[in-house]
Amino acid sequence: MPVFHTKTIESILEPVAQQVSKLVILHEEAEDGNAMPDLSRPVQAVKLAVDNLIKVGYETIHNSEDQILKQEMPPALNRVEEASVFLIQASDMLRTDPYSAAARKKLIDGSRGILQGTSALLLAFDESEVRKIIRICKNVLEYLAITEVVESLEDLVTFVKNLSPVLTRMAKEVDTRERELTHQVHREWLQRAIEQVKQLTPALISGIKIFVTTKSQGGPGLEEAQSNRDYVTQKMSNEIHEIIRVLQLTTYDEEEWDADDITVMKKAQNVIDGKMKQAQDWLVDTQAVVGGAGEHALRQILEDSLCIANRCVNPEDGENITKTVSNIESMINALCELRQQGKGNTPQALSLSRGIVQMLRELQDKCQKAVTASERSGLKKPAHTVGGKLEQAQRWLANSAMDDKGLGQQAARMMISDALKVAEGLQGPKRAEILQLCNEVENLTDQLNDLARKGMTNSPQARAVAAALSQKLNQLKSKMQDALVTQVADDFMDISTPLKMMSDAAMTPFGTPRREENFEEKARNFSNHASKLAATGRSLAKSGGCNDRRTVEGIQTCAQQVDDLIPHMVKAARIVLMNPANQASVEHFDLLKGQWTENMEKLRGLIDEAIDTAAFIRANEEGILQDTDRTEQAVMNLDAPGIVNNTSSIARRAHRILQVAKSEADNSEDPQFVERVNDTINDLRNTIAPMVQNAKILAQNPRDPQAVGGWRGANQQLINAVGRVRQAVGDRANHQYPPHGSDFPAPPDFSHLNISEPSSRSSRSLTSPKPSLSSPKPVDDFQKLVDEAESAVRSAMSGLWSAPRHGSPRDFPPPPPPLPGIYDRAEQMPHRQLGSVPPPVPPPPAPESYNPSAYRDHGENAPPRPPLPRDTAPPRPPPPETDDEFEMTFPAPQANQPIMMAAHALHMDVKQWSSRDNEIIAAAKKMALLMARLSQLVRGEGGTKKDLIDCAKAIAEQSEEVTRIAKGLAMDCTDKRMRTNLLQVCERIPTIGTQLKILSTVKATMLGAQEPIACPDGSEIVCGSEEDMEATEMLVGNAQNLMQSVRETVQCAEAASIKIRVDSGYSIRWTRKRPWYT
């Protein structure tokens, strides 16, 4: 089947698919009784191209040393050649009989063979190129495997000299391959992995060097040095295995995350396969060192096997893997004990080695089967973010009658679990609010579940419970976000002090009292602090409300790297403590400190992007006020250390506010916003130093009233400056659109609805509430408004009644009533604020007598006689242009229609926006309808092959339109991060649209080619062959990816639309459609 994971393959297949689609349409028209045209010339051109392709293919086979390529490419070449022969035969037969059915069959078979054969040919060649890069990667892994035998500086020099060129070549080849890939996520994975390898290379060399020097000097710390060396080696090996895994990927799901169970299981399986040879070599070598790289590889296999077991869909598979791992672990421990005793050559040890090798093969097979079974199950798990879980739960609540395999309910319950974890770090009212919401959500979920079991999902009671649960889930999400913002403000106030204190403790000279005890205390504080920061980052990524996959996965990756580095940072510092004169140990510690600091700063930067800046500043402002209260209490208690600690906290919080505000200004291209924020930043910066200086004076003499007053004044200036920064940043953060997923107000109460109008203005004034006026300026403006309105009304009425009239006075209509909005409000104003009430409008003057000749004298025609009343009502005017047709014509999806469900998900996202004056919403709505139509065509529910091809082309055209609009919007956006996110999301849409055209053409060549068979699971289409099923699966995956990309593009476009250049001429309006009663 066609694959499109590289730009080269896509560029070759697209024109081929276009030509094949034309032949498919000609074939279908001929089935309707039309004569086929003469195809001899285009078929001859195809034959020449095929002959050249076959020639080049066989030359490639002859010059290649890849045995797999020599085996896989000839069948593809034969298929292309046979397809070319079919086309020639069809052309000859059609020339003699334009209505020949056999010729038409050969034509469609040849077209399908050309497309699929060319795809297979390109894939075989591409896989051969990938294997070349993988061989280079494995060469690097072989060098990493011998790090444990480097025991001198000379060995280290030789090792580096041999490793450097291979490592450089690998990095170059991976970078080149990354630029060739079409899947953006695959490119990101390769970039991240190769970047990690580049960063770990200096640490690897440093780790080997410190091990060699420590071992040669015979000093303490050898165990720590070996552990650091093995850690870096293992880390680099894992990253290279990840590179190998990604290089072999050809497809991608846009909804796939790094934390998905299937993704994690595949990564673990890849590591198992990569470590197997190294583990087996260690088992076979009776003289292998216990604790060496081989044993580490063996135990890594067991860890990854347990990782797979914990995520198995089938519990039996997980239990079998866990039991096998336990048996192997016991045998490994026994073997290590024998080898440590020098009994590695005994029959017992040899028997254990053979048994472990055999069980490892069985474990590898069990893991592979478990991964395959889990992948084929198709079961969806709750999302990895609270926003994703909320969306899944809301989808369930909106249509609780549809069977979603319990996904929505599971997502709601996982939100409760996440909220309880967030509440663990809280105290006081915030903790109580979250716990109460968790109880309410759990009770409502249980109630809805009970109603579903009773078959009452569509009852009014169930709808009421679902509405209440939806509201509570939104409230729970909001409370979790607020709590996490406060936690981030507290935890990330200072990230470097614990590391600095541990570093200073490690550098303490020999002979200093309590030298080792002090170091252990500082190391423990550093470990606890770093672990807390990593945990806060993971909690924010999971429950903080950020739905951007890159940001969330970046936070999780950085947090994991920080966690991994913590023990090795402590070990490196302990080596320095034991060997302060060893320059290699100091350099290694400095290198690890640099890496840890870089990862922590990156983590903090990603967290700052994931949370709302204004909310973060507000949380720090509240923290400053609390620190101020504690400082005041310390002053009352004459507690100098308390004064120092609390005022230092105030200063650190102020510096954090400066950091995020400066980042916000640097991220914007709005000159007015940047100027306003920079001014407030400078004001705040100028207040920090005076506050700190006054705090030092206060700490030295808390009894001095002048010192207390000086600090209070300086601190108040700092607080005021913080408020101005918050206002400057918050003005840009607030916008006119309600947040996504905001609750609409409840319908109004109609029990007191009165259709008849009050009889007088006084009755209206008695029933209307009086507005409260707090300042005189709005009153003056309002009085001016009243005077102008009254003058305008009098002028209009005067002109109306002074016009020539005819008829009797009683035929005249009554004078128009006064403007109710103005006079009602005017009468409600106190007389002392509004002055005297305006006098009533005088009655109109008496009409002039009727003079029929007046019209003739002035050359005017008499006005036409009004029509006589009639019994029938006049025709209804045409309805205004709305989106009702879009919403009414969209078909309801079924659980066995993945393409329709993907289209429906986009439909639900865009239906809340009006398409009037919004091109991107209009295009997205059209794409949703077209994709729904494509689902029907693929399922065989009416339509022709031409309809299928045309529908795919129309979807691709709309994809280009969405991308064009999104790119134009991105260019006008003044927020750099939003612009980058929007461009990254929309740039993959045209590629997926092109792939959809090709896959639809492939599917069109198969429709009707095989006898359909029934699928017991009611899948997307009833397929008649393995090729047909494979084509359908790829088409389904492509359609889902396209709809998901458009959804993300619309969301990013809506977010970016609030930060548009004033002079851009931006005309897209985002009008959220609300219920009729609001």
Side-chain angles (χ1 to χ4, degrees):
M1 282 298 102
V3 291
F4 319 95
H5 58 291
T6 69
K7 298 175 183 178
T8 301
I9 293 178
E10 181 180 321
S11 64
I12 295 175
L13 285 182
E14 182 181 7
V16 175
Q18 289 179 357
Q19 298 302 320
V20 170
S21 65
K22 294 178 181 179
L23 292 177
V24 171
I25 294 173
L26 288 175
H27 171 271
E28 190 170 49
E29 291 176 349
E31 289 183 344
D32 295 336
N34 298 325
M36 291 287 292
D38 185 8
L39 300 176
S40 56
R41 292 186 60 185
V43 167
Q44 188 63 29
V46 170
K47 182 180 183 305
L48 293 177
V50 168
D51 291 343
N52 185 56
L53 179 63
I54 293 173
K55 177 183 177 182
V56 174
Y58 280 112
E59 289 177 356
T60 303
I61 295 173
H62 178 73
N63 297 327
S64 175
E65 298 179 357
D66 189 340
Q67 297 301 320
I68 300 178
L69 176 68
K70 293 183 177 182
Q71 181 180 358
E72 292 182 348
M73 187 171 281
L77 292 172
N78 292 336
R79 183 164 189 178
V80 173
E81 191 171 11
E82 291 174 359
S84 175
V85 172
F86 280 168
L87 291 179
I88 294 175
Q89 293 175 352
S91 174
D92 294 339
M93 295 170 66
L94 289 172
R95 193 181 306 114
T96 57
D97 182 7
Y99 299 95
S100 172
R104 292 200 305 270
K105 185 177 185 306
K106 284 183 176 291
L107 178 67
I108 199 71
D109 290 342
S111 301
R112 181 171 59 250
I114 287 288
L115 185 56
Q116 295 181 354
T118 304
S119 174
L121 184 65
L122 294 173
L123 180 61
F125 179 76
D126 184 75
E127 289 178 345
S128 175
E129 295 298 308
V130 169
R131 285 191 290 271
K132 293 179 182 178
I133 306 176
I134 291 177
R135 282 195 291 269
I136 301 174
C137 295
K138 289 183 176 180
N139 287 340
V140 177
L141 290 174
E142 292 174 357
Y143 278 108
L144 294 178
I146 64 174
T147 53
E148 60 182 8
V149 301
V150 179
E151 298 183 348
S152 65
L153 292 178
E154 290 77 11
D155 294 342
L156 177 60
V157 172
T158 304
F159 174 80
V160 173
K161 187 180 298 184
N162 294 332
L163 177 65
S164 297
V166 182
L167 202 59
T168 302
R169 186 182 176 193
M170 183 190 74
K172 181 180 178 181
E173 293 291 338
V174 171
D175 288 339
T176 303
R177 178 67 179 181
E178 174 265 321
R179 290 191 294 269
E180 174 68 11
L181 296 178
T182 58
H183 296 304
Q184 189 178 53
V185 177
H186 292 171
R187 298 201 303 267
E188 293 173 358
W189 287 347
L190 284 181
Q191 288 172 355
R192 186 171 60 195
I194 198 65
E195 191 63 29
Q196 279 294 305
V197 171
K198 293 177 181 178
Q199 291 180 359
L200 289 170
T201 301
L204 172 66
I205 298 173
S206 177
I208 299 175
K209 182 178 180 181
I210 189 177
F211 171 78
V212 169
T213 55
T214 303
K215 185 175 183 179
S216 61
Q217 294 176 2
L222 182 61
E223 183 178 351
E224 288 81 359
Q226 181 179 349
S227 176
N228 273 2
R229 180 202 66 186
D230 294 343
Y231 160 74
V232 180
T233 304
Q234 183 67 36
K235 190 72 174 174
M236 283 191 67
S237 298
N238 291 342
E239 296 296 341
I240 295 175
H241 280 297
E242 175 66 4
I243 291 174
I244 293 175
R245 183 188 75 87
V246 177
L247 286 173
Q248 299 177 86
L249 296 177
T250 58
T251 59
Y252 175 69
D253 183 358
E254 290 291 339
E255 297 185 3
E256 181 180 351
W257 287 58
D258 270 355
D260 284 345
D261 285 346
I262 297 298
T263 305
V264 174
M265 293 171 74
K266 287 182 177 180
K267 288 183 178 181
Q269 181 65 42
N270 185 67
V271 173
I272 291 173
D273 296 340
K275 299 285 185 182
M276 189 61 67
K277 185 178 184 306
Q278 188 177 9
Q280 291 174 346
D281 291 343
W282 182 83
L283 291 170
V284 173
D285 186 4
T286 58
Q287 304 298 323
V289 179
V290 175
E295 184 187 350
H296 287 314
L298 184 55
R299 297 191 182 275
Q300 182 72 35
I301 290 174
L302 300 185
E303 290 180 9
D304 289 317
S305 300
L306 290 177
C307 178
I308 293 175
N310 294 333
R311 291 169 170 80
C312 285
V313 173
N314 188 356
E316 294 182 0
D317 293 341
E319 292 176 2
N320 292 335
I321 292 174
T322 303
K323 184 178 180 180
T324 305
V325 168
S326 178
N327 294 336
I328 294 176
E329 190 171 14
S330 300
M331 296 171 68
I332 292 173
N333 293 336
L335 179 62
C336 290
E337 185 176 352
L338 290 173
R339 288 187 175 181
Q340 284 178 336
Q341 297 173 358
K343 300 178 180 179
N345 285 322
T346 60
Q348 183 181 2
L350 295 176
S351 176
L352 282 172
S353 299
R354 289 192 296 269
I356 295 173
V357 169
Q358 179 63 29
M359 294 187 71
L360 278 179
R361 295 194 186 100
E362 296 176 1
L363 178 63
Q364 187 178 17
D365 293 339
K366 290 179 180 179
C367 290
Q368 183 63 54
K369 291 179 181 178
V371 172
T372 303
S374 298
E375 187 174 13
R376 289 179 177 175
S377 67
L379 291 179
K380 289 189 175 182
K381 297 292 184 72
H384 304 288
T385 64
V386 67
K389 295 185 184 76
L390 179 61
E391 182 182 351
Q392 291 172 335
Q394 298 284 23
R395 195 179 299 128
W396 164 57
L397 295 174
N399 190 8
S400 56
M402 188 177 71
D403 182 19
D404 65 346
K405 309 298 183 182
L407 179 63
Q409 184 179 159
Q410 188 179 359
R413 296 190 184 278
M414 286 196 68
M415 283 188 65
I416 299 174
S417 177
D418 295 342
L420 291 175
K421 292 179 181 178
V422 172
E424 291 177 358
L426 302 177
Q427 296 178 352
K430 291 185 177 181
R431 175 184 173 89
E433 289 176 356
I434 290 182
L435 292 179
Q436 181 180 355
L437 279 173
C438 288
N439 291 332
E440 294 174 353
V441 169
E442 188 171 13
N443 292 335
L444 290 171
T445 305
D446 292 339
Q447 292 178 26
L448 194 58
N449 190 32
D450 292 340
L451 291 172
R453 283 201 300 265
K454 297 176 182 178
M456 301 172 59
T457 53
N458 292 324
S459 64
Q461 182 181 359
R463 289 195 292 270
V465 173
L469 179 56
S470 175
Q471 183 180 8
K472 293 298 180 182
L473 287 173
N474 278 301
Q475 294 177 5
L476 183 61
K477 176 189 174 185
S478 177
K479 293 295 182 183
M480 292 167 64
Q481 291 176 357
D482 293 342
L484 286 170
V485 169
T486 302
Q487 187 174 353
V488 168
D490 294 339
D491 294 346
F492 282 83
M493 183 170 51
D494 181 19
I495 63 174
S496 59
T497 299
L499 175 59
K500 184 177 183 302
M501 295 177 69
M502 183 181 72
S503 179
D504 293 341
M507 298 292 185
T508 304
F510 280 112
T512 304
R514 301 186 68 255
R515 180 173 178 267
E516 294 184 0
E517 291 83 355
N518 180 56
F519 172 80
E520 294 299 332
E521 179 184 356
K522 297 299 186 295
R524 188 164 50 252
N525 293 340
F526 165 76
S527 299
N528 294 337
H529 179 255
S531 298
K532 186 177 182 180
L533 293 179
T536 300
R538 277 192 290 266
S539 181
L540 180 74
K542 188 176 184 181
S543 307
C546 178
N547 293 325
D548 183 67
R549 182 183 55 80
R550 296 179 186 84
T551 303
V552 172
E553 290 184 349
I555 291 174
Q556 293 172 340
T557 300
C558 288
Q560 187 60 48
Q561 291 173 353
V562 168
D563 261 346
D564 293 342
L565 272 174
I566 291 173
H568 302 284
M569 289 284 295
V570 175
K571 290 177 181 178
R574 187 174 285 114
I575 295 174
V576 175
L577 179 72
M578 297 176 182
N579 304 283
N582 188 342
Q583 187 61 28
S585 63
V586 176
E587 293 175 356
H588 181 67
F589 182 48
D590 290 341
L591 183 62
L592 290 184
K593 280 197 302 182
Q595 289 187 357
W596 189 89
T597 302
E598 182 179 354
N599 284 331
M600 182 55 67
E601 289 178 349
K602 183 178 179 181
L603 175 62
R604 185 176 63 183
L606 289 170
I607 287 176
D608 289 346
E609 292 181 10
I611 61 178
D612 180 66
T613 303
F616 178 77
I617 295 176
R618 191 180 306 111
N620 273 293
E621 187 177 14
E622 294 175 357
I624 288 176
L625 295 176
Q626 295 173 1
D627 290 333
T628 299
D629 293 339
R630 285 190 285 266
T631 303
E632 294 285 358
Q633 187 65 36
V635 171
M636 293 175 59
N637 298 333
L638 303 179
D639 181 10
I643 294 174
V644 172
N645 292 335
N646 291 311
T647 53
S648 298
S649 177
I650 292 174
R652 284 194 290 266
R653 289 184 184 275
H655 278 294
R656 280 290 288 138
I657 293 174
L658 287 177
Q659 285 179 345
V660 296
K662 184 67 168 62
S663 175
E664 197 72 14
D666 293 340
N667 181 60
S668 176
E669 293 180 350
D670 183 351
Q672 296 179 355
F673 174 77
V674 172
E675 182 181 3
R676 183 170 62 251
V677 173
N678 284 334
D679 289 343
T680 58
I681 288 174
N682 294 331
D683 293 342
L684 177 59
R685 184 181 292 111
N686 294 333
T687 62
I688 297 177
M691 190 280 296
V692 173
Q693 292 172 359
N694 282 277
K696 291 180 180 178
I697 298 173
L698 177 61
Q700 294 173 359
N701 189 5
R703 300 177 183 272
D704 185 2
Q706 186 175 0
V708 175
W711 173 81
R712 285 175 178 169
N715 189 64
Q716 188 60 47
Q717 290 181 358
L718 184 145
I719 293 174
N720 295 339
V722 169
R724 289 192 293 272
V725 173
R726 173 176 50 79
Q727 292 174 357
V729 174
D731 288 343
R732 186 171 175 83
N734 298 327
H735 54 88
Q736 58 184 349
Y737 307 115
H740 181 70
S742 60
D743 293 333
F744 292 122
D749 183 9
F750 296 101
S751 59
H752 302 291
L753 181 63
N754 188 2
I755 299 179
S756 62
E757 293 191 9
S759 59
S760 66
R761 292 184 336 205
S762 60
S763 63
R764 286 196 298 269
S765 64
L766 290 174
T767 58
S768 301
K770 293 185 178 182
S772 60
L773 300 176
S774 57
S775 61
K777 185 176 187 303
V779 177
D780 297 339
D781 294 341
F782 183 77
Q783 181 62 48
K784 183 178 179 181
L785 175 64
V786 172
D787 294 340
E788 292 178 355
E790 180 186 357
S791 175
V793 170
R794 287 179 175 175
S795 175
M797 291 171 55
S798 174
L800 175 66
W801 293 106
S802 62
R805 304 187 181 267
H806 62 278
S808 60
R810 62 177 177 268
D811 294 333
F812 298 154
L819 299 178
I822 295 178
Y823 285 111
D824 290 349
R825 294 174 61 186
E827 288 182 349
Q828 296 167 20
M829 298 297 173
H831 287 270
R832 66 176 184 274
Q833 294 180 352
L834 292 177
S836 60
V837 178
V841 178
E848 301 176 359
S849 59
Y850 175 64
N851 184 6
S853 63
Y855 295 99
R856 291 192 298 269
D857 296 338
H858 293 283
E860 298 177 359
N861 296 325
R865 183 183 300 274
L868 296 175
R870 50 187 177 180
D871 296 334
T872 59
R876 183 183 298 273
E881 182 184 353
T882 64
D883 299 327
D884 295 339
E885 181 181 356
F886 163 75
E887 297 174 6
M888 294 176 62
T889 58
F890 200 91
Q894 301 297 325
N896 61 349
Q897 298 176 346
I899 294 182
M900 184 69 76
M901 292 186 70
H904 187 262
L906 175 61
H907 160 72
M908 296 301 294
D909 274 4
V910 299
K911 67 176 290 189
Q912 62 184 318
W913 301 103
S914 172
S915 59
R916 180 175 298 178
D917 297 331
N918 193 319
E919 294 178 296
I920 195 168
I921 289 295
K925 288 181 177 181
K926 189 177 293 185
M927 283 192 71
L929 283 174
L930 287 171
M931 190 61 73
R933 176 59 179 158
L934 182 71
S935 173
Q936 296 171 340
L937 292 170
V938 171
R939 291 175 60 84
E941 299 174 359
T944 62
K945 298 176 182 178
K946 181 179 183 299
D947 294 336
L948 175 61
I949 294 173
D950 290 343
C951 184
K953 289 182 179 179
I955 293 174
E957 291 174 358
Q958 288 301 311
S959 301
E960 297 282 353
E961 181 69 7
V962 170
T963 305
R964 180 191 65 80
I965 300 170
K967 286 185 176 180
L969 175 61
M971 292 300 102
D972 292 333
C973 181
T974 59
D975 190 293
K976 298 177 183 177
R977 284 194 296 267
M978 287 185 176
R979 178 197 304 160
T980 301
N981 289 339
L982 181 55
L983 290 175
Q984 288 177 340
V985 169
C986 74
E987 75 172 2
R988 60 178 183 252
I989 293 180
T991 298
I992 303 176
T994 300
Q995 296 170 2
L996 182 70
K997 289 194 300 183
I998 301 174
L999 289 170
S1000 299
T1001 301
V1002 174
K1003 185 64 188 174
T1005 62
M1006 295 182 176
L1007 286 177
Q1010 299 95 7
E1011 191 68 25
I1013 58 175
C1015 294
D1017 59 348
S1019 58
E1020 174 68 15
I1021 186 173
V1022 183
C1023 307
S1025 67
E1026 184 177 351
E1027 272 189 346
D1028 199 1
M1029 294 178 65
E1030 186 179 354
T1032 302
E1033 289 177 0
M1034 294 185 67
L1035 184 60
V1036 169
N1038 182 271
Q1040 291 172 331
N1041 288 343
L1042 182 58
M1043 293 293 95
Q1044 180 64 23
S1045 296
V1046 175
R1047 291 178 63 194
E1048 294 179 8
T1049 300
V1050 171
Q1051 293 169 4
C1052 291
E1054 187 269 331
S1057 63
I1058 65 174
K1059 297 184 178 180
I1060 299 297
R1061 304 179 193 276
V1062 178
D1063 58 347
S1064 64
Y1066 179 72
S1067 59
I1068 295 180
R1069 295 180 57 191
W1070 293 84
T1071 305
R1072 192 181 292 274
K1073 299 170 64 177
R1074 303 178 69 90
W1076 63 270
Y1077 52 77
T1078 58

